[in-house]
Amino acid sequence: MTKQLETNNTWQIGGKTLNSRLLIGSALYPSPANMEDAIRISGAQIVTVSLRRQAAGEGNGNPFWDIIKSLGIEVLPNTAGSHSAKEAITTAQMAREVFGTNWVKLEVIGDQYNLQPDPFETVKAAEVLIKEGFEVFPYTTDDLVVAKRLADVGCKIIMPWGSMIGSGKGLMNPDNLIAIRKQFPDLQLIVDAGIGKPSHATQAMELGYDGVLLNSAIALAQDPVKMADAFRLAVEAGRLGYEAGVMKEREFASPSTPTVGTPFWHQFN
C-alpha cells in the first residue's frame, strides 16, 4: 500500500498562522444555517463580514453574528459600500471597535457599474489606516502600478481582482496577475473577486498566489455546501500543483513514452 505524502499547509498572514488558503464571504446564502454549513465544510479560517450587516442586526439577538462567533475563525471586516477614503477610514475604525480586530478588508468603490475599486482613494485610505495600526487587506484591480503604490504605503497584503465582483468570469488577465506575483515575491497576494468555479481558484493558486477570497460562487450555487467543499479541494490542488512545479508549456509535441532503443518484447523473439 502506498503511503500518502504528508504536506504542510500552514502559512502566515496578518500575524496569524493558518492552514486553509481559502477566504470566504458571509453574504447571499439562502439561509444562515446554509451559510454555516458551507463555511464549515470549506475549511476556511477567515470569513469576511460587513460592518453594515452587523450594525443592522444589533438589538435583535443577531443570529447571524452568533453563527459567525460560533465558527471560531478569524473575522475580516470589510468597508464594502464606501466610495471615498474618508468613508472607508471611518468604517474601518468602527469595525475595529465592533469586531475587536485590527484586520480590515479595504474596499473603496469608484464605479457603480463594474464595482471597480478607486485606486487613488484606496491608496489614500490604506496609508492612513496602516499608520493607525490596521492590518490592511486592500481590494484592487490587477494593475501593477496600483499594487506598487499600495506596497509603498506599507501594505503587506494585496488583493487584486480576478475579474469584476460577482461576475464569475475567472482570471480575465492572468498575465497581469503573474506580473504582480513576480514583482512582489515577499508580499501576501490573494485573488479577490470574479472567481466563478473551482477551476478558477486552482488556476489562481497555480500562479503562486497565497490564497483566494470568494463569496458569490459558493453562496449562489445550487448546492452551496457541496460547492464550498469543491473550492476547498480546488485551492488545495492548486497550491500543491504550484509547489510541485507545473510543467512548462511547449509549442511542439513531445512523446511521454520513450522510443529510443529496442522494444522490450524483442528479447522474447
Side-chain angles (χ1 to χ4, degrees):
M1 181 181 294
T2 303
K3 183 178 180 180
Q4 184 176 4
L5 293 176
E6 294 182 1
T7 57
N8 183 4
N9 294 319
T10 60
W11 66 304
Q12 299 279 337
I13 185 167
K16 307 284 186 179
T17 300
L18 304 176
N19 295 315
S20 173
R21 292 175 180 268
L22 173 62
L23 291 70
I24 194 169
S26 58
L28 305 176
Y29 291 90
S31 69
N34 192 263
M35 176 196 72
E36 180 179 6
D37 291 342
I39 293 175
R40 287 190 186 281
I41 200 168
S42 75
Q45 294 174 295
I46 298 178
V47 59
T48 60
V49 177
S50 169
L51 173 66
R52 287 171 172 78
R53 181 168 185 176
Q54 161 67 4
E58 288 179 353
N60 299 312
N62 203 348
F64 166 79
W65 182 234
D66 290 339
I67 290 174
I68 294 298
K69 289 191 293 185
S70 74
L71 292 169
I73 60 180
E74 302 295 335
V75 173
L76 176 60
N78 66 49
T79 63
S82 299
H83 294 85
S84 69
K86 182 178 180 180
E87 188 178 3
I89 291 167
T90 300
T91 303
Q93 292 167 338
M94 294 172 61
R96 179 160 60 180
E97 296 299 318
V98 172
F99 297 106
T101 178
N102 70 329
W103 283 14
V104 63
K105 178 186 174 183
L106 177 60
E107 294 184 37
V108 186
I109 300 301
D111 182 84
Q112 277 302 116
Y113 176 72
N114 64 7
L115 300 180
Q116 180 169 326
D118 184 322
F120 309 103
E121 295 296 293
T122 298
V123 172
K124 187 188 301 183
E127 185 172 17
V128 172
L129 291 172
I130 287 171
K131 289 178 179 178
E132 293 187 3
F134 282 89
E135 189 71 65
V136 179
F137 293 60
Y139 163 61
T140 181
T141 59
D142 53 3
D143 188 297
L144 181 60
V145 175
V146 177
K148 186 177 187 305
R149 295 290 180 267
L150 288 168
D152 288 344
V153 300
C155 288
K156 300 175 183 177
I157 303 159
I158 299 177
M159 303 202 300
W161 71 3
S163 51
M164 296 176 291
I165 292 177
S167 68
K169 292 180 177 294
L171 310 187
M172 290 197 304
N173 298 297
D175 287 344
N176 291 2
L177 294 174
I178 292 171
I180 294 173
R181 177 73 281 178
K182 288 183 177 179
Q183 182 71 26
F184 304 105
D186 298 325
L187 295 186
Q188 296 291 337
L189 300 180
I190 298 169
V191 172
D192 176 15
I195 300 296
K197 50 190 177 183
S199 58
H200 295 158
T202 300
Q203 183 184 10
M205 298 303 294
E206 287 175 345
L207 295 182
Y209 273 68
D210 297 287
V212 171
L213 194 162
L214 55 94
N215 187 173
S216 301
I218 292 177
L220 300 181
Q222 293 183 11
D223 187 334
V225 177
K226 185 175 291 186
M227 187 62 76
D229 198 22
F231 271 104
R232 174 183 64 82
L233 295 169
V235 169
E236 291 176 0
R239 183 63 188 183
L240 284 173
Y242 171 72
E243 292 177 348
V246 178
M247 69 171 287
K248 302 293 184 182
E249 293 186 4
R250 298 168 175 170
E251 297 298 328
F252 52 87
S254 177
S256 57
T257 303
T259 57
V260 178
T262 304
F264 73 93
W265 60 81
H266 283 194
Q267 64 183 303
F268 299 107
N269 293 341

